[in-house]
Amino acid sequence: MSLKEEINHRKTFAIISHPDAGKTTLTEKFLLFGGAIQTAGAVKSNKITKTAASDFMEIERQRGISVATSVMAFHYRDKLINLLDTPGHKDFAEDTYRTLTAVDSVVLVIDCVKGVEAQTERLMEVCRMRDTPVIVFINKMDLEGQDPFDLLDELETKLDIKVRPLSWPISIGHTFKGVYNLYDKSLNLFDPSKTTIAKDVVQIKDLNDPKLDELVGEHAQQLREDVELIEGVYEDFDPESYMSGEIAPVFFGSAVNNFGVRELLDAFIEIAPTPRSRPTNVRMVEPTEDKFTGFVFKIHANIDPKHRDRIAFLRVCSGKFERNKFFNHVRLEKKMKFANPATFLAQDKSVVEEAFPGDVIGLYDTGNFKIGDTLTEGEQLTFQGIPSFSPEIFKELVNLDPMKSKQLEKGVQQLTDEGVAQLFVRENGNRKIIGTVGELQFEVINYRLEHEYGAKCRFEAKNYFKACWITSSDNQKLNEFKRLKVNDMVIDKDGNDVYLAPSQFLLQMEQQNFPELEFHFTSEFKTKKETA
Ligand code: G4P
């Protein structure tokens, strides 16, 4: 196959949801349809039910370095689909945000009973930042959920995106009869006793066909009215608007009952983008370019201290990756080759000879990579769009064993390279502030520092509201601000100035007092001014 054919053959995406909406269940059904697994229950949920580090550690141990669940590749029809896994726990949301930088589209799962939930909103914000195309799957239609029209309104208002239903439920809950596919005008009837993956659809091109009354009885008239309303209210589905992230097609179903999943997957295959171009600090990179480029979006460490190796997950962006060929590690200005790059087809990990745009490969790493690192065939460019977001919890790291300072230093560096947490260093005195999105990460850091590096520490809570990356074209003002706020100024891992704002009120005050400064809430600065 030519490079172009390889690219057109691939679709790389992630399923995202608020915990419990059905992400794991839908993933499993996709793999069943793709023939990648044979039985239900084969996909291990990476859900952490208790908020305890021990629970997290147990899951990490089970997953081990095989990490087969991080990327699941499978074939469906004539396409190769790379499904990237995202952590289910909200404390690891940052990991999910980074994974979203490596996909070309997402499927967002919503629980029809709960509607749009907190985590759904945050995930969508990240998708909107990058104009990622989104397909919505409204799940659990076998339960007494909200009215589908209300759900669509909620999606539009809370997620700030236009929606267009492509399938429509016939009743809901215990009277749920099935879905009508508005795209290819067919009816899929729901039989709760039948949870096979067989396709069982009836073509009903004209909703006035009396066959509809025979099949769904009293619900036929409601369906006719609903569809009329939909056609009146919503514009025809426009694939271009979906591609540019302006409109999200919506499907209804019940993942656990295997219902509506095939419609979703068939539509995904048809409309979801193939590997797309990506921004770098110097130019856009097109997947069809001959020369290889790629970036690391995730690092998975082996937490067994006897095997301290890690796997860096690299998304191929252009050209062809080849085993044992020298590539350029842009940040380190170093030539590197990889003898055992891994690929993850179905549940097996195997050594791959070559990989193409859209593919994710695992590179064994002894500490050369950090998140966001770029590999090229020589060109000096760095992929953008892998920002750090402001953490929500800040704590100062206190060393409990001065004899182990070196180990602690190394451990903290490596764990923050992996993206477990963000490290900020105070200019005066080299004190370390760790920022995370959840409490669980502090327990994880504590555990790993002790078990992997033999270093003991504790954390002292710091009352900060937000981390703001500070820039200005007025150096004098910048220095004045830094001098005045010396106690709240820190440096991030890349040497950028960061102001840790103690409260929203103080942040707004500083924004007013220093109009010459720009306060950014992600490490990748946008030019527009942001408000607290
Ligand atoms: P997550 O990965 O998004 O956190 O969700 P997951 O798939 O684990 O699903 C959460 C719960 O919702 C599971 O039940 C799952 O069986 C159930 N579920 C998924 N899809 C549907 C659906 O279409 N209808 C109904 N009624 N339930 C659904 P659980 O009791 O937490 O786990 P399990 O014991 O069933 O595995």
Side-chain angles (χ1 to χ4, degrees):
M1 262 196 265
S2 68
L3 178 61
K4 209 164 177 180
E5 283 165 334
E6 292 283 1
I7 294 166
N8 289 335
H9 175 58
R10 284 164 165 78
K11 305 220 176 215
T12 301
F13 82 115
I15 302 180
I16 53 175
S17 78
H18 187 91
D20 262 356
K23 179 174 72 73
T24 311
T25 313
L26 187 63
T27 301
E28 182 164 281
K29 301 300 172 182
F30 274 8
L31 296 184
L32 277 169
F33 278 113
I37 55 171
Q38 267 64 49
T39 50
V43 176
K44 274 234 169 64
S45 168
N46 64 0
K47 206 163 32 173
I48 303 163
T49 45
K50 287 173 269 163
T51 316
S54 56
D55 205 3
F56 171 81
M57 290 307 155
E58 190 47 42
I59 287 163
E60 287 295 280
R61 225 187 319 274
Q62 281 170 15
R63 296 173 101 191
I65 201 98
S66 73
V67 287
T69 50
S70 285
V71 192
M72 291 160 276
F74 64 96
H75 291 278
Y76 185 71
R77 305 218 308 235
D78 58 341
K79 299 281 186 259
L80 171 61
I81 301 177
N82 294 309
L83 170 51
L84 273 53
D85 191 26
T86 53
H89 198 285
K90 73 168 179 34
D91 285 8
F92 290 85
E94 184 119 0
D95 205 9
T96 301
Y97 303 155
R98 280 191 297 259
T99 300
L100 292 183
T101 64
V103 300
D104 297 297
S105 70
V106 305
V107 170
L108 172 66
V109 186
I110 305 271
D111 180 330
C112 74
V113 182
K114 298 194 174 136
V116 173
E117 298 174 82
Q119 190 66 2
T120 327
E121 289 186 48
R122 300 197 51 182
L123 288 163
M124 261 308 287
E125 260 171 50
V126 178
C127 292
R128 273 202 316 271
M129 276 173 68
R130 308 180 50 243
D131 299 325
T132 308
V134 176
I135 298 179
V136 177
F137 182 69
I138 300 189
N139 190 27
K140 307 198 184 181
M141 292 305 287
D142 56 315
L143 300 180
E144 306 296 328
Q146 300 176 35
D147 175 79
F149 282 110
D150 290 347
L151 281 166
L152 294 183
D153 283 347
E154 193 183 341
L155 287 171
E156 291 206 336
T157 46
K158 287 199 176 163
L159 301 182
D160 196 18
I161 187 168
K162 281 205 217 152
V163 296
R164 175 50 161 112
L166 288 188
S167 79
W168 195 251
I170 303 163
S171 194
I172 191 166
H174 69 283
T175 55
F176 178 54
K177 291 279 176 251
V179 288
Y180 182 68
N181 188 332
L182 297 161
Y183 200 55
D184 72 358
K185 307 214 179 316
S186 61
L187 188 68
N188 192 355
L189 293 173
F190 176 59
D191 177 355
S193 62
K194 211 168 60 185
T195 53
T196 60
I197 58 169
K199 196 168 181 172
D200 202 2
V201 292
V202 188
Q203 291 293 326
I204 302 237
K205 294 285 174 209
D206 177 2
L207 282 174
N208 290 317
D209 190 335
K211 207 156 83 187
L212 182 67
D213 300 87
E214 268 169 51
L215 294 168
V216 301
E218 51 172 327
H219 301 288
Q221 197 47 34
Q222 185 66 49
L223 176 67
R224 289 183 184 116
E225 286 169 21
D226 285 354
V227 172
E228 202 183 317
L229 192 60
I230 292 165
E231 305 296 344
V233 172
Y234 297 99
E235 283 171 27
D236 280 352
F237 172 65
D238 170 26
E240 285 303 312
S241 310
Y242 156 69
M243 282 293 191
S244 55
E246 287 158 59
I247 199 158
V250 179
F251 291 82
F252 293 83
S254 167
V256 80
N257 291 299
N258 244 323
F259 197 78
V261 177
R262 187 183 286 276
E263 285 78 3
L264 174 68
L265 192 52
D266 284 343
F268 171 84
I269 285 287
E270 206 162 304
I271 65 174
T274 51
R276 309 215 288 173
S277 51
R278 276 172 194 262
T280 71
N281 57 342
V282 285
R283 63 181 186 87
M284 287 298 278
V285 167
E286 300 299 326
T288 44
E289 291 175 20
D290 293 344
K291 294 230 160 51
F292 159 80
T293 61
F295 68 90
V296 172
F297 64 94
K298 174 176 176 139
I299 294 176
H300 194 109
N302 190 346
I303 61 166
D304 179 351
K306 287 190 251 16
H307 305 278
R308 185 75 72 64
D309 46 352
R310 324 195 277 184
I311 290 190
F313 288 87
L314 177 127
R315 146 104 196 198
V316 180
C317 296
S318 67
K320 182 163 85 169
F321 173 91
E322 285 171 79
R323 186 165 90 94
N324 278 330
K325 179 169 172 175
F326 274 105
F327 292 117
N328 181 34
H329 186 311
V330 175
R331 180 176 57 88
L332 299 181
E333 296 179 12
K334 187 169 160 177
K335 292 253 174 277
M336 293 180 79
K337 65 174 182 171
F338 304 91
N340 296 302
T343 182
F344 311 88
L345 195 61
Q347 291 194 305
D348 300 319
K349 179 164 65 98
S350 53
V351 171
V352 64
E353 290 297 328
E354 50 187 34
F356 296 93
D359 285 345
V360 169
I361 48 176
L363 305 174
Y364 286 92
D365 175 38
T366 49
N368 283 310
F369 286 116
K370 64 180 186 179
I371 285 171
D373 276 344
T374 298
L375 287 183
T376 68
E377 288 195 27
E379 194 175 346
Q380 291 294 316
L381 52 80
T382 305
F383 282 95
Q384 304 277 283
I386 316 148
S388 299
F389 295 86
S390 171
E392 284 164 25
I393 306 174
F394 298 87
K395 293 190 183 185
E396 185 165 339
L397 182 89
V398 181
N399 186 359
L400 289 182
D401 184 354
M403 303 294 286
K404 297 279 172 66
S405 298
K406 267 204 175 131
Q407 285 88 332
L408 186 78
E409 185 77 22
K410 186 171 171 208
V412 169
Q413 285 299 338
Q414 291 200 347
L415 294 186
T416 48
D417 278 354
E418 274 172 38
V420 176
Q422 288 181 56
L423 174 66
F424 301 103
V425 179
R426 245 191 232 285
E427 273 180 300
N428 59 353
N430 211 24
R431 285 154 66 185
K432 292 185 177 58
I433 311 264
I434 307 278
T436 69
V437 280
E439 283 290 342
L440 185 54
Q441 274 133 314
F442 287 104
E443 290 185 45
V444 169
I445 295 168
N446 216 320
Y447 180 99
R448 289 191 54 190
L449 282 176
E450 186 170 345
H451 288 81
E452 293 170 39
Y453 299 90
K456 277 204 163 97
C457 71
R458 69 180 171 83
F459 292 103
E460 221 164 69
K462 291 276 154 197
N463 244 345
Y464 286 119
F465 161 67
K466 230 178 200 150
C468 315
W469 283 261
I470 307 273
T471 55
S472 177
S473 50
D474 185 338
N475 257 338
Q476 206 181 337
K477 278 283 168 197
L478 183 65
N479 287 333
E480 184 187 328
F481 182 83
K482 281 163 68 174
R483 209 170 44 246
L484 275 171
K485 297 283 144 202
V486 67
N487 288 328
D488 299 324
M489 286 306 296
V490 288
I491 304 268
D492 77 359
K493 274 180 81 79
D494 299 318
N496 298 309
D497 286 321
V498 179
Y499 166 54
L500 299 180
S503 70
Q504 183 161 16
F505 175 73
L506 282 172
L507 172 58
Q508 278 165 348
M509 284 241 314
E510 301 308 347
Q511 284 179 308
Q512 278 168 16
N513 292 344
F514 286 87
E516 304 81 1
L517 264 56
E518 293 198 48
F519 295 73
H520 314 271
F521 302 131
T522 79
S523 64
E524 226 163 59
F525 313 132
K526 296 201 166 157
T527 40
K528 71 173 168 47
K529 273 202 181 149
E530 295 156 90
T531 43

